Amino acid sequence: MSDNCLDTARRHSLFLARQLDNGKLKPEIFLPMLDKVLTEADFQAFADWEKIRAEENEEELARQLRELRRYVVSQIIVRDINRISDLNEVTRTITLFADFAVNTALDFAYAYYRDMYGTPIGRYTKSPQHLSVVAMGKAGGYELNVSSDIDLIFVYPESGDTDGRRERGNQEFFTKVGQKLIALLNDITADGQVFRVDMRLRPDGDSGALVLSETALEQYLITQGREWERYAWCKGRVVTPYLNDIKSLVRPFVFRKYLDYSAYEAMRNLHRQIRSEVSKKGMADNIKLGAGGIREVEFIAQIFQMIRGGQMRALQLKGTQETLKKLAELGIMPSENVETLLAAYRFLRDVEHRLQYWDDQQTQTLPASPEQQQLLAESMGFDSYAAFSDDLNVHRNKVNQLFNEILSEPEEQTQDNSEWQWAWQDKPDEEERQGRLKEHGFDAETIAARLDQIRHGHKYRHLSAHAQPRFDAIVPLFVQAAAEQTNPTDTLMRLFDFLENISRRSAYLAFLNEHPQTLAQLAQIMSQSSWVAAYLSKYPILLDELISAQLLDTAFDWQALAAALSDDLKACGGDTEAQMDTLRRFQHAQVFRLAVQDLAGLWTVESLSDQLSALADTILAAALPCAWADMPKKHRDTPQFAIVGYGKLGGKELGYASDLDLVYLYDDPHPDAGDIYSRLARRLTNWLSAATGAGSLYETDLRLRPNGDAGFLAHSIAAFEKYQRENAWTWEHQSLTRARFICGTPEIQTAFDRIRTEILTAERDQTALADEIIAMREKMFPTHPPVDSNVKYARGGVVDVEFIVQYLILAHARQYPQLLDNYGNIALLNIAADCGLIDKTLAEQSRTAYRFYRQQQHNTKLRDAEKTEVTDELLAHYGNVRKLWREVFGEEAKLG
């Protein structure tokens, strides 16, 4: 490195100039350090730490650590001022040094007191105990400054005593170790200081014990942990190598199981306190604590972690920058906002470092002297302090604007809202209230009665002091939002059902208070669909989707979604319940997103079914390896197993509430394979259909497997082939026309596709086949009468179209293998017409009819349609399909 670099750096750092001028930095040691990124190996090589510890030379250890700090800080200054390093290198280098210093001091202190008192032994495990050190704040997030304090917490596994002649309790032993560790780093000697050590973040702060057991820490967090401590522990990172349980006991305290919108108010309170301190001390020029400063960027990142981290383990990160990037990646924050925050954060942290480089002081306040201002500007790449200030203010204003959008108080409602308070008064003027309700299109008596029932109901009366004001604020807003819908009474009743359902969980009330703009959207959705209203009431966590940037984005990248789901499942660390909940939350979010888009008219029925089928495929592919990993006894890492979809799943015609018709196959020579894979089948079915705290996934139907309910849950591919060739009924081969491989072993897919092709292309007596299919249709009449109002079973309805297509495949796929492609009934009718098997006009009319039937079925589920109205249009569709039936079969199926 050139002398110019050293000269440039010393102009901007009195501290560095002093070290160079006083000969404190030996060139033979210092200059080689400037040409590389420092690692722990460099710190280890700096002194003979083992010898120092063996000799218990405390003075030498303190001196060498302080000298090493001088070199590390000086190296960082030179590389950073000359723009050789970036922000990540600066913060990571000083944080790695802090980790090294803590561990080196801890090893010394532990050995010192072990020699004196013996090894601390756990009372229950009878094993040697070690102290775990948790780095909090910037040290936890690998974000330290060169002049930062390090915030530490000391935790040991369990109580007990040392095994030496001078026995001491573990609490006393580790307290002494902690005190010596602090002294080794914190004491100011002739060589300076390593780090200021701040222990105030420990339970009960300065008045609490210096060290505590894991049990004591857990009890404290459960019974006394405060909101600001959740914020602090979010960055908590164990920096010592010893086994501990700290992460698992802290995680549920920091990252709540449910979405936690109450975190907004807690973070605001913390921010208000900081702002108040800043204004009191006249710290407007503080780039960390002032408006638009570093703290606001950190708050923005952490508010989303606090709210969603329990649901999205991918957000359980330590660093501010990595968290912001993950928020963009997950679509929680717009990527342009994240880029704005990242640019500001890097700029502000660079400024912060240059302020501290000047004289190795922990400061975030801009300089007052013109000379220092000019030097700061130049070190940031500006010609003048005015130009620097302009750029700084642009960054701070952008940060503050985004901060206010995200963390400011919920907007005061407009004056229109105040006009709706009459709907929720404690003692209303009944005549006036009913009159106003009528004016706005409500069934006044019904709504007034419901309002009174809510007001005097036990749910409302038992709301907490936090929840009741939130509830009170929402009721008039719901009345206002419902009044704007075409069916205000139905809408409001659904909104009230929803409100009462979520009232036990104040966080959901907090969400509605925090995001009043979602109320109109919520009312619109509930006005259109009682099914979606019920779905949202069942899974209120989906409220969060209303503010998602992806809500109306119809570009579903299933490969990327599957990868994200896989990451979330891995992050559960093998916890079965957490994995099952993760699958359910993922599925519910996608179903809700599709339903909202569907109500907005963004999908045709066929395209929607494709998406719902892709979702089911994704869930099955994710659940299979999890269920296998959950098996207690396994003979191989990867199961030789596959899932085949039949019916609506096989034909990619799934609806919102469709069952999954599944068949499980395996191909494994292991002598116990049948038993093993039957257990896997049972476990997998349970993974799919069991209700957990997060709800349920799918109802599954396994009756289409060989021998139906009497058959094994899983079949070998050989047994499946034998059954299809020798024992299957015609209706089972009809079902096979709609079957497709979903996921599992590729070799089974190859075998299944071969078997399916061979069975469906087998030579058949077409007359006998037609007679069997007609007879099968006739068998349905007693249990499913073909009434015109039921588009599924009416003559000329859905089942008739399906039977026609199935016959065409079984009769003609040998000659026309293109019929084997499982594209769905609409496409297959077209293929059959192109092959000359049916009349083109009748085929097109039947395609149109089938689309119409699917839409009617869909509307009944999603859009509150009553039973299908029998219209001339519907009857004409029936007529066209019946014509096609006669063309194919030559006769109608007969009743009775």
Side-chain angles (χ1 to χ4, degrees):
M1 183 171 288
S2 71
D3 290 342
N4 283 345
C5 288
L6 281 175
D7 291 341
T8 300
R10 72 186 294 153
R11 281 188 64 239
H12 299 285
S13 172
L14 289 178
F15 168 80
L16 178 65
R18 276 200 304 272
Q19 309 313 310
L20 291 167
D21 293 343
N22 295 340
K24 297 280 189 181
L25 300 171
K26 295 172 184 171
E28 66 274 17
I29 297 175
F30 186 52
L31 294 179
M33 294 175 81
L34 298 177
D35 293 323
K36 61 181 178 179
V37 178
L38 297 180
T39 66
E40 186 183 345
D42 296 299
F43 308 147
Q44 289 285 5
F46 187 80
D48 191 343
W49 306 107
E50 286 298 320
K51 182 183 177 192
I52 293 170
R53 193 174 73 187
E55 294 175 353
E56 292 191 353
N57 191 337
E58 189 170 336
E59 190 178 324
E60 179 64 6
L61 180 76
R63 189 185 70 76
Q64 291 282 12
L65 283 173
R66 281 154 181 75
E67 190 169 327
L68 175 56
R69 179 198 182 264
R70 188 182 311 131
Y71 278 97
V72 171
V73 170
S74 299
Q75 187 260 14
I76 289 171
I77 292 172
V78 174
R79 286 175 64 86
D80 190 12
I81 290 291
N82 286 283
R83 295 291 181 183
I84 299 164
S85 63
D86 61 7
L87 173 62
N88 288 337
E89 181 190 319
V90 171
T91 57
R92 189 166 183 82
T93 300
I94 194 66
T95 304
L96 287 174
F97 171 62
D99 290 359
F100 173 80
V102 166
N103 277 289
T104 302
L106 175 59
D107 288 349
F108 182 93
Y110 184 86
Y112 181 88
Y113 286 110
R114 186 189 55 203
D115 291 348
M116 196 178 293
Y117 302 118
T119 301
I121 302 297
R123 181 162 295 146
Y124 307 105
T125 61
K126 306 300 181 189
S127 60
Q129 302 284 293
H130 287 276
L131 188 68
S132 292
V133 179
V134 185
M136 306 289 279
K138 283 187 165 60
Y142 287 99
E143 295 171 339
L144 278 180
N145 301 314
V146 290
S147 302
S148 288
D149 293 354
I150 52 172
D151 295 291
L152 304 178
I153 293 177
F154 298 148
V155 185
Y156 62 93
E158 58 181 306
S159 56
D161 301 292
T162 63
D163 62 1
R165 283 188 303 166
R166 298 169 64 190
E167 182 185 289
R168 292 290 185 275
N170 288 355
Q171 176 77 24
E172 182 184 346
F173 177 88
F174 285 120
T175 299
K176 288 179 179 295
V177 169
Q179 287 167 338
K180 188 166 286 295
L181 186 158
I182 292 168
L184 283 165
L185 302 182
N186 186 80
D187 284 0
I188 299 173
T189 71
D191 299 296
Q193 188 178 39
V194 188
F195 286 99
R196 285 176 299 277
V197 178
D198 191 334
M199 301 296 298
R200 289 175 297 174
L201 290 180
R202 70 186 189 270
D204 294 315
D206 284 340
S207 61
L210 184 69
V211 302
L212 70 166
S213 68
E214 290 181 10
T215 301
L217 174 63
E218 184 175 29
Q219 282 300 110
Y220 173 84
L221 295 177
I222 290 170
T223 59
Q224 297 177 60
R226 288 155 289 182
E227 284 296 328
W228 69 262
E229 287 176 292
R230 286 182 62 205
Y231 172 77
W233 271 100
C234 189
K235 285 187 183 293
R237 177 175 63 88
V238 178
V239 301
T240 44
Y242 310 111
L243 283 176
N244 65 82
D245 229 2
I246 296 169
K247 189 174 182 180
S248 62
L249 65 88
V250 168
R251 181 189 284 132
F253 168 68
V254 179
F255 300 111
R256 299 292 157 83
K257 192 172 181 181
Y258 302 103
L259 287 174
D260 186 13
Y261 281 93
S262 304
Y264 272 119
E265 190 52 39
M267 298 291 265
R268 277 196 206 100
N269 287 337
L270 188 55
H271 190 258
R272 280 190 213 109
Q273 290 169 23
I274 294 167
R275 280 275 177 89
S276 171
E277 287 299 306
V278 170
S279 60
K280 265 190 245 170
K281 296 172 182 173
M283 288 161 48
D285 277 343
N286 188 303
I287 59 159
K288 178 182 178 181
L289 303 178
I294 295 164
R295 181 56 58 84
E296 288 192 356
V297 181
E298 293 171 341
F299 267 40
I300 291 169
Q302 287 197 263
I303 186 65
F304 290 109
Q305 287 184 295
M306 295 291 97
I307 293 167
R308 293 183 177 80
Q311 296 290 314
M312 296 180 168
R313 292 199 177 205
L315 281 175
Q316 295 181 12
L317 303 168
K318 303 299 182 189
T320 301
Q321 292 187 82
E322 61 178 344
T323 301
L324 288 170
K325 287 173 187 172
K326 184 61 73 174
L327 291 171
E329 186 186 314
L330 295 171
I332 294 170
M333 275 186 76
S335 53
E336 58 270 22
N337 289 358
V338 167
E339 285 307 317
T340 297
L341 291 170
L342 285 170
Y345 181 77
R346 290 168 188 144
F347 187 93
L348 290 164
R349 291 300 307 273
D350 279 352
V351 175
E352 180 182 34
H353 290 145
R354 278 146 184 75
L355 294 175
Q356 296 184 0
Y357 293 161
W358 180 247
D359 201 17
D360 193 18
Q361 296 294 313
Q362 188 184 22
T363 179
Q364 286 91 13
T365 302
L366 294 169
S369 80
E371 296 82 8
Q372 221 176 313
Q373 288 178 347
Q374 181 61 26
L375 283 169
L376 173 62
E378 288 174 14
S379 73
M380 287 295 294
F382 295 89
D383 292 332
S384 68
Y385 190 69
F388 160 76
S389 293
D390 288 345
D391 221 36
L392 173 64
N393 290 333
V394 167
H395 283 301
R396 289 182 69 168
N397 289 336
K398 285 179 179 176
V399 169
N400 191 238
Q401 184 181 347
L402 284 171
F403 178 86
N404 287 334
E405 284 175 20
I406 294 165
L407 256 173
S408 61
E409 304 288 343
E411 294 174 29
E412 290 297 318
Q413 301 306 319
T414 61
Q415 59 176 9
D416 289 336
N417 173 45
S418 63
E419 292 177 13
W420 294 84
Q421 294 298 333
W422 52 265
W424 188 240
Q425 287 170 345
D426 194 5
K427 293 179 180 170
D429 179 324
E430 195 54 48
E431 194 175 327
E432 182 192 351
R433 183 169 69 166
Q434 293 218 16
R436 287 198 185 191
L437 286 168
K438 274 181 192 162
E439 259 176 58
H440 291 289
F442 291 104
D443 176 339
E445 286 186 16
T446 300
I447 297 301
R450 182 65 188 275
L451 286 164
D452 289 341
Q453 176 259 316
I454 293 171
R455 168 79 70 183
H456 300 110
H458 74 279
K459 282 186 179 177
Y460 177 74
R461 285 187 286 108
H462 287 94
L463 288 175
S464 68
H466 284 300
Q468 198 169 86
R470 291 171 176 168
F471 191 102
D472 292 340
I474 292 164
V475 173
L477 295 173
F478 270 4
V479 178
Q480 181 185 17
E484 292 164 12
Q485 307 307 316
T486 54
N487 54 341
T489 301
D490 286 345
T491 302
L492 189 52
M493 294 296 271
R494 290 168 191 170
L495 286 168
F496 283 158
D497 288 343
F498 177 71
L499 185 58
E500 287 200 281
N501 186 52
I502 65 170
S503 62
R504 290 176 298 109
R505 299 243 283 279
S506 184
Y508 293 133
L509 298 177
F511 172 91
L512 294 171
N513 277 273
E514 294 290 344
H515 300 284
Q517 74 279 10
T518 62
L519 297 183
Q521 192 179 9
L522 190 61
Q524 188 178 24
I525 290 168
M526 291 199 166
S527 77
Q528 292 177 276
S529 175
S530 61
W531 182 83
V532 176
Y535 197 76
L536 200 48
S537 286
K538 193 173 180 184
Y539 307 122
I541 197 169
L542 295 171
L543 269 178
D544 191 52
E545 296 298 315
L546 294 176
I547 57 172
S548 164
Q550 272 98 27
L551 184 64
L552 293 175
D553 180 1
T554 56
F556 282 77
D557 182 343
W558 288 108
Q559 199 171 350
L561 287 166
L565 174 60
S566 175
D567 289 345
D568 288 344
L569 288 168
K570 282 177 190 158
C572 295
D575 182 329
T576 299
E577 185 182 353
Q579 289 176 319
M580 291 174 81
D581 286 352
T582 297
L583 284 171
R584 281 150 181 75
R585 284 193 291 267
F586 175 86
Q587 194 252 13
H588 300 159
Q590 308 312 321
V591 167
F592 181 68
R593 183 178 157 194
L594 283 165
V596 172
Q597 293 175 4
D598 193 1
L599 289 172
L602 301 179
W603 291 105
T604 63
V605 175
E606 294 133 86
S607 298
L608 178 78
S609 290
D610 285 344
Q611 299 300 325
L612 288 170
S613 301
L615 171 58
D617 290 0
T618 302
I619 292 291
L620 290 168
L624 174 55
C626 290
W628 181 249
D630 196 34
M631 292 269 288
K633 291 180 182 175
K634 298 184 287 289
H635 64 293
R636 60 192 314 144
D637 292 336
T638 305
Q640 297 297 100
F641 185 87
I643 303 174
V644 175
Y646 276 68
K648 284 189 167 66
L649 175 63
K652 296 187 179 179
E653 292 185 350
L654 279 187
Y656 289 112
S658 297
D659 292 353
L660 301 186
D661 291 299
L662 304 176
V663 168
Y664 300 132
L665 302 175
Y666 65 88
D667 187 17
D668 191 327
H670 192 278
D672 298 326
D675 179 53
I676 291 166
Y677 290 115
S678 287
R679 284 191 288 115
L680 173 60
R682 197 172 295 111
R683 191 171 294 262
L684 180 59
T685 302
N686 184 60
W687 269 68
L688 297 171
S689 56
T692 73
S696 54
L697 275 173
Y698 295 101
E699 289 299 318
T700 56
D701 191 335
L702 307 182
R703 289 174 296 177
L704 289 176
R705 69 188 188 271
N707 294 312
D709 283 341
F712 295 111
L713 284 178
H715 287 76
S716 71
I717 195 77
F720 177 78
E721 180 170 8
K722 179 177 168 63
Y723 180 85
Q724 291 295 337
R725 291 189 187 285
E726 299 175 11
N727 304 105
W729 296 82
T730 298
W731 68 263
E732 290 177 288
H733 288 166
Q734 286 178 250
S735 297
L736 194 61
T737 65
R738 284 160 68 82
R740 67 184 173 91
F741 175 88
I742 303 293
C743 62
T745 309
E747 291 79 10
I748 298 180
Q749 177 178 14
T750 302
F752 171 76
D753 288 344
R754 173 187 59 77
I755 294 164
R756 179 177 179 271
T757 298
E758 290 174 5
I759 296 297
L760 298 185
T761 57
E763 210 162 334
R764 288 180 173 83
D765 180 325
Q766 293 183 8
T767 304
L769 175 65
D771 288 344
E772 283 191 69
I773 288 180
I774 291 168
M776 181 66 58
R777 183 71 182 95
E778 288 175 353
K779 280 183 185 174
M780 293 182 174
F781 291 150
T783 51
H784 300 289
V787 293
D788 288 342
S789 60
N790 187 329
V791 296
K792 182 172 182 179
Y793 292 108
R795 287 186 170 185
V798 169
V799 172
D800 283 359
V801 175
E802 291 174 346
F803 274 38
I804 289 167
V805 171
Q806 289 161 9
Y807 168 79
L808 292 169
I809 294 169
L810 292 171
H812 300 290
R814 185 180 182 85
Q815 186 179 358
Y816 300 104
Q818 56 265 52
L819 288 167
L820 293 171
D821 292 331
N822 199 345
Y823 292 139
N825 292 310
I826 291 171
L828 286 165
L829 284 168
N830 201 41
I831 292 169
D834 288 343
C835 294
L837 300 175
I838 53 176
D839 178 76
K840 272 191 177 293
T841 303
L842 278 178
E844 189 51 48
Q845 288 171 340
S846 296
R847 279 157 55 89
T848 304
Y850 193 72
R851 273 198 196 93
F852 182 81
Y853 304 153
R854 295 274 309 280
Q855 189 64 58
Q856 301 310 304
Q857 290 176 313
H858 189 63
N859 287 348
T860 305
K861 169 58 73 178
L862 184 72
R863 295 178 182 274
D864 302 340
E866 298 297 328
K867 275 197 171 181
T868 303
E869 191 180 345
V870 180
T871 61
D872 290 343
E873 181 185 14
L874 179 63
L875 294 173
H877 286 311
Y878 288 157
N880 290 331
V881 173
R882 289 170 76 165
K883 279 183 207 168
L884 180 61
W885 180 283
R886 283 193 293 275
E887 185 197 24
V888 171
F889 293 112
E891 61 172 289
E892 293 271 12
K894 295 178 179 58
L895 279 166

